[in-house]
């Protein structure tokens, strides 16, 4: 029986070989594209062992982001049909029995643990090492019909490495020697408990069957994914973008637009998209805020876009469209075209016969283009005008994360940029705007498009204690997500600053330091509508800013300081939420507060001096009684 050290050493040698082959393969077809480093690519995700064509014969192959087939390494891309065996835990594949699958945990492109999950009856070594393979499970001959078909369907060709790679696996320095994970849930729990980085990583090793089905959902239809906080919606969005354009897919798309709510989200997900992308096809990752500014030709800004924009009367978009398409016939383009059209639109006299509401709306618009461009609430309207007058880039598919908060004119801008189907992911319980209350309200804005709606109920990244605390803000009709593999975890801590005669800002920073020490390699964030007050306290305490969102203390621990709008779509090991009553005061609902509470994966602290929402007061009292008993 091979021990864990031998197995990990061998698997890491194969992973090194794989990463080298990926690097070579990418360079060979990415001429003119900035050179990518080996660290841009995800490592191997796992292995599958399937019964072969003859009695006693088995076929073993790896799963990874990219197809590789050379003498000692056969990797099937995660988008290939045969990869479904791995992600959906299938018992058979093309009438062949599945023996066992191995899933890896990785850190910094090294494999640090694994779980062997037997599908069939356990028999012998799950996967022999290279030296054992000839004796125990010989590599099937190249003429094997099953393997030939698998390769053909995968679209892979045998390649030789550009440079000789020597496979050595006699030792693995620095690998922890804990026992292999016993089950898939153990592996998932270990992965979720690992400290988060500031950027999202691909999760092919632990991508769940429910998530895989949504990622690989046919792009012939438009899809809406509703999911509670922590169910993996952003994972679905990012992996779906990579799947849609992957060159190994039979009907790969040429261009996909992946949109999220804020510039912080854009920075957060870009690393995962980079890890999964295999080369020449295009995924444009952007926040909706940045996209609107780009359309308008405005200078980039780090402020998040306003969510709850001014209400627009029915028919306003049609009015703008009719006028803009008329102006487009003139052929006038360039930087002055939008300003000229806006001026003519607000001064035109064709409003006779329109409703009073429409006339009032048009009459309330600034009389000059310069006045309109100074108001961020009007930028989506101006961007819609711009896309109609002077159409720009068009995509084959548009994916929107946190889509529940799209405003009418944002929908219209995206509609002009999308020549294909849609994928919308979000959570109506987290909506920051009150303009829509259901997905049917949102999708009805895109006419003549059939929508399939799917619901994600399985919780993953947020502990059950945090999820239940935040869910106290929701109505019972919202339902509850299923329990997380993280288990209950640490109960949320609620601190009343007024009782301690201290400021909420001072306590927030104190809790930051404690959390950073407890989660030394992880991520810690403070979220509050009054973030400037926390930043002022941080400056007084000698902390320094690294960028708009990231600060470090004197011990060089790093923290993210965010408003509720900036925190959307992000996740952290630990979060301090400051002054819950201020969230509702700014928005009129608990959507922003619910979102902020659920940004925490492992530990949550709430600091307040004023009253809290009644539901949180009750839940806090219940936790206090439980902890004191």
């Amino acid at each position: 029986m091979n021990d864990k050290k031998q197995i990990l050493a061998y698997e890491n040698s194969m992973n090194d070989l794989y990463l080298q082959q990926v690097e070579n393969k990418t360079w060979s077809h990415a001429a003119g594209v900035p050179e990518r480093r080996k660290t841009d690519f995800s490592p191997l995700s796992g292995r599958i062992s399937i019964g072969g064509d003859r009695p006693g014969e088995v076929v073993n192959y790896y799963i990874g982001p990219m197809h590789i087939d050379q003498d000692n390494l056969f990797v099937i891309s995660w988008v290939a049909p045969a990869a479904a065996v791995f992600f959906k835990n299938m018992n058979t594949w093309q009438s062949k029995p599945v023996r066992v699958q191995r899933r890896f945990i990785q850190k910094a492109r090294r494999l640090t643990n694994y779980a062997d999950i037997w599908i069939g009856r356990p028999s012998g070594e799950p996967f022999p090492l290279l030296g054992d393979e000839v004796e125990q499970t010989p590599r099937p001959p190249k003429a094997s019909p099953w393997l030939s078909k698998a390769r053909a369907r995968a679209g892979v060709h045998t390649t030789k490495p550009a440079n000789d790679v020597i496979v050595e696996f006699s030792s693995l320095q620095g690998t922890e020697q804990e026992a292999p994970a016993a089950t898939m849930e153990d592996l998932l729990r270990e992965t979720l408990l690992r400290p988060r980085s500031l950027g999202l990583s691909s999760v092919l090793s632990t991508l769940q069957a429910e998530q895989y089905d949504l990622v690989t959902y046919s792009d012939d239809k438009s899809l809406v994914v509703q999911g509670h906080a922590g169910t993996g919606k952003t994972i679905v969005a990012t992996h779906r973008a990579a799947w849609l354009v992957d060159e190994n897919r039979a009907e790969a798309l040429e261009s996909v637009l992946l949109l999220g709510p804020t510039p912080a989200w854009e920075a957060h997900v870009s690393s995962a998209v980079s890890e999964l992308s295999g080369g020449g096809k295009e995924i444009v990752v952007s926040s909706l805020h940045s996209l609107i500014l780009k359309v308008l030709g405005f200078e980039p800004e780090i402020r998040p876009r306003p969510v709850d924009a001014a209400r627009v009367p029915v028919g306003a978009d049609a009015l703008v469209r009719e006028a803009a398409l008329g102006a487009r016939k003139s052929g006038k383009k360039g930087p002055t075209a939008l300003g000229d059209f806006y001026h003519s639109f607000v001064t035109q006299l064709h409003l006779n016969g329109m409703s009073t509401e429409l006339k009032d709306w048009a009459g309330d618009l600034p009389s000059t283009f310069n006045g309109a461009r100074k108001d961020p609430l009007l930028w989506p309207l101006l961007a819609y005008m711009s896309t109609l007058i002077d159409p720009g880039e068009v995509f084959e598919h548009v994916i929107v994360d946190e889509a529940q908060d799209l405003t009418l004119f944002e929908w219209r801008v995206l509609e002009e940029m999308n020549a294909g189907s849609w994928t919308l992911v979000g959570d109506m319980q987290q909506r920051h705007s009150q303009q829509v209350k259901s997905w049917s309200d949102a999708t009805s804005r895109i006419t003549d498009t059939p929508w399939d709606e799917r619901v994600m109920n399985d919780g993953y990244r947020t502990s059950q204690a945090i999820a239940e605390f935040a869910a106290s803000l929701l109505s019972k009709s919202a339902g509850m997500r299923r329990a997380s593999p993280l288990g209950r975890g640490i109960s949320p801590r609620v601190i009343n600053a007024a009782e301690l005669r201290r400021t909420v800002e001072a306590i927030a920073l104190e809790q930051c330091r404690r959390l950073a020490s407890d989660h030394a390699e992880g991520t810690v964030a403070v979220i509050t509508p009054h973030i400037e007050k926390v930043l002022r306290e941080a400056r007084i305490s000698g902390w320094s800013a690294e960028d708009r969102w990231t600060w470090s203390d004197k011990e060089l621990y790093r923290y993210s300081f965010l408003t509720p709008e900036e925190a959307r779509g992000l996740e952290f090991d630990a979060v301090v939420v400051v002054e819950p009553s201020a969230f509702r005061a700014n928005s009129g609902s608990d959507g922003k507060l619910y979102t902020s509470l659920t940004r925490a994966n492992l530990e949550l602290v709430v600091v307040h001096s004023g009253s809290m929402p009644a539901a949180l007061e009750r839940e806090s009292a219940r936790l206090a009684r439980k902890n004191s008993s």
Side-chain angles (χ1 to χ4, degrees):
M1 178 71 69
N2 297 308
D3 65 20
K4 179 186 175 184
K5 184 175 181 179
Q6 286 179 300
I7 292 172
L8 278 176
Y10 172 73
E11 297 293 19
N12 270 288
S13 69
M14 301 307 289
N15 184 58
D16 289 342
L17 178 60
Y18 167 73
L19 291 175
Q20 183 63 62
Q21 292 302 310
V22 168
E23 196 171 21
N24 294 339
K25 182 175 181 179
T26 302
W27 287 347
S28 67
H29 68 68
V33 176
E35 184 175 297
R36 300 183 71 183
R37 303 164 297 170
K38 188 185 297 187
T39 52
D40 289 334
F41 306 103
S42 286
L44 294 168
S45 306
R47 298 183 76 175
I48 285 288
S49 180
I50 298 178
D53 297 312
R54 297 185 292 273
E57 182 184 67
V58 297
V59 174
N60 299 329
Y61 60 87
Y62 287 94
I63 302 292
M66 189 179 293
H67 284 308
I68 295 292
D69 186 12
Q70 69 91 26
D71 289 341
N72 292 320
L73 182 65
F74 180 35
V75 183
I76 286 182
S77 166
W78 70 286
V79 306
V85 176
F86 181 78
F87 293 110
K88 301 185 74 169
N89 304 310
M90 297 168 66
N91 296 320
T92 61
W93 175 251
Q94 297 181 345
S95 302
K96 301 294 191 299
V98 179
R99 293 180 61 246
V100 63
Q101 62 169 261
R102 172 173 289 169
R103 297 203 179 214
F104 298 128
I105 289 180
Q106 60 94 4
K107 182 178 181 181
R109 273 64 183 178
R110 299 293 290 171
L111 309 180
T112 60
N113 204 354
Y114 63 91
D116 287 333
I117 298 107
W118 285 93
I119 308 299
R121 180 176 298 176
S123 175
E125 289 284 351
F127 296 93
L129 304 185
L130 187 61
D132 303 326
E133 198 156 355
V134 173
E135 210 172 304
Q136 296 186 26
T137 53
R139 181 180 175 85
K142 290 186 178 179
S144 166
W146 188 94
L147 187 57
S148 298
K149 290 178 182 178
R151 282 197 170 106
R153 270 186 296 273
V156 295
H157 305 283
T158 301
T159 59
K160 297 292 183 183
N163 302 303
D164 291 334
V165 179
I166 301 174
V167 177
E168 298 177 351
F169 55 96
S170 58
S171 66
L172 182 65
Q173 299 297 324
T175 299
E176 298 175 4
Q177 288 303 299
E178 72 272 16
T183 66
M184 179 60 197
E185 186 167 331
D186 290 338
L187 189 82
L188 181 58
R189 185 181 301 109
E190 182 176 338
T191 301
L192 292 172
L193 284 170
R194 285 177 175 264
R196 291 293 187 272
S197 65
L198 288 176
L200 185 70
S201 297
S202 66
V203 296
L204 292 182
S205 293
T206 53
L207 192 68
Q208 301 299 290
E210 174 190 46
Q211 295 170 332
Y212 175 79
D213 284 341
L214 295 172
V215 167
T216 58
Y217 198 84
S218 171
D219 59 308
D220 291 339
K221 298 180 180 178
S222 291
L223 175 67
V224 176
V225 179
Q226 159 65 33
H228 285 293
T231 53
K233 299 182 295 297
T234 299
I235 289 294
V236 168
T238 52
H239 287 61
R240 180 158 175 76
W243 180 80
L244 286 168
V245 302
D246 195 288
E247 61 185 4
N248 297 297
R249 203 168 69 89
E251 298 178 352
L253 303 183
E254 293 289 340
S255 60
V256 167
L257 176 60
L258 174 60
L259 279 177
T262 67
W265 174 94
E266 181 182 344
H268 177 65
V269 305
S270 293
S271 55
V273 174
S274 178
E275 289 176 5
L276 291 164
S277 299
K281 302 298 177 68
E282 184 181 16
I283 301 174
V284 173
V285 181
S286 176
S287 68
L288 189 53
H289 176 78
S290 299
L291 181 73
I292 294 292
L293 293 180
K294 183 179 178 181
V295 168
L296 292 173
F298 292 178
E299 288 295 319
E301 293 193 5
I302 57 176
R303 287 184 298 165
R305 84 191 209 282
V307 173
D308 205 2
R311 294 190 176 276
V312 177
V314 175
D317 52 337
L319 181 67
V320 172
R321 181 177 182 82
E322 181 181 4
L325 291 180
R328 189 163 79 182
K329 293 177 182 178
S330 69
K332 188 174 183 179
K333 297 181 180 180
T336 62
L338 177 60
D340 290 346
F341 169 73
Y342 179 85
H343 178 74
S344 67
F345 178 77
V346 296
T347 58
Q348 62 188 310
L349 301 177
H350 69 267
L351 292 174
N352 289 332
M354 297 294 177
S355 68
T356 301
E357 192 177 16
L358 270 175
K359 290 181 180 179
D360 290 343
W361 170 76
D364 288 340
L365 294 174
S367 59
T368 66
F369 177 64
N370 283 336
R373 64 178 291 162
K374 292 178 182 178
D375 184 355
L377 291 175
L378 295 179
W379 290 348
L381 166 63
L382 298 180
Y384 183 46
M385 291 176 171
S386 180
T387 57
L388 291 170
I389 296 169
D390 188 6
E393 190 172 9
V394 176
F395 299 88
E396 293 182 88
H397 192 92
V398 173
I399 302 173
V400 186
D401 193 6
E402 304 293 348
Q404 69 273 1
D405 286 322
L406 288 179
T407 64
L408 175 63
F409 284 121
E410 288 168 345
W411 272 111
R412 292 294 172 253
V413 170
L414 297 182
E415 191 175 22
E416 293 301 312
M417 302 178 80
N418 189 12
S421 53
W422 303 78
T423 300
L424 310 179
V425 300
D427 180 8
M428 278 294 159
Q429 306 306 323
Q430 295 186 58
R431 67 187 187 276
H432 291 192
S433 167
Q434 298 305 299
Q435 294 195 23
V436 297
K437 291 181 170 57
S438 69
W439 284 112
S440 61
D441 289 345
T443 56
S444 64
R445 291 173 166 175
I446 303 296
T447 58
D448 301 323
T449 299
W451 296 89
D452 284 353
E453 185 171 340
R454 296 291 182 268
V455 177
M456 299 177 70
N457 281 322
D458 289 331
Y460 296 109
R461 67 165 178 80
T462 305
S463 73
Q464 201 61 20
I466 294 172
E468 290 177 3
F469 182 79
S472 67
L473 293 168
L474 307 180
S475 66
K476 292 184 178 179
S477 62
M480 285 289 291
R481 69 169 208 182
R482 287 190 279 269
S484 166
L486 289 171
R488 287 213 58 78
I490 303 170
S491 293
R493 183 176 182 181
V494 179
I495 302 175
N496 188 330
E499 290 180 355
L500 298 175
R501 297 175 182 267
R502 298 179 62 194
T503 67
V504 291
E505 293 80 20
I507 294 176
L509 296 191
E510 180 180 85
Q511 289 300 309
C512 277
R513 286 188 289 266
R514 178 186 69 80
L515 293 169
S517 177
D518 292 348
H519 304 273
E521 296 183 15
T523 53
V524 178
V526 175
I527 306 174
T528 178
H530 304 316
I531 198 65
E532 286 301 328
K533 294 182 179 179
V534 179
L535 297 180
R536 190 181 309 120
E537 184 72 22
R539 291 188 195 98
I540 294 171
S541 301
W543 296 19
S544 56
E546 296 184 14
D547 57 37
R548 169 63 181 84
W549 306 289
T550 311
W551 284 62
S552 58
D553 63 17
K554 294 178 180 179
E555 286 74 40
L556 301 183
Y557 285 118
R558 302 172 76 204
Y559 311 91
S560 296
F561 292 153
L562 304 163
T563 64
E565 290 81 6
E566 291 168 333
R568 290 187 302 157
L570 307 183
E571 59 177 281
F572 304 91
D573 291 290
V575 169
V576 180
V577 171
V578 180
E579 213 62 275
S581 60
F583 289 72
R584 173 176 277 274
N586 284 9
S587 65
S589 77
D590 289 323
K592 291 183 179 182
L593 178 56
Y594 176 73
T595 300
S596 300
L597 295 172
T598 55
R599 298 311 88 198
N601 290 342
L602 304 176
E603 193 163 358
L604 172 66
V605 177
V606 176
V607 183
H608 70 100
S609 59
S611 61
M612 292 199 300
L616 285 191
E617 288 279 14
R618 290 192 295 270
E619 187 65 13
S620 177
R622 186 188 69 81
L623 289 175
R625 291 193 299 271
K626 181 179 178 182
N627 292 335
S628 63
S629 61

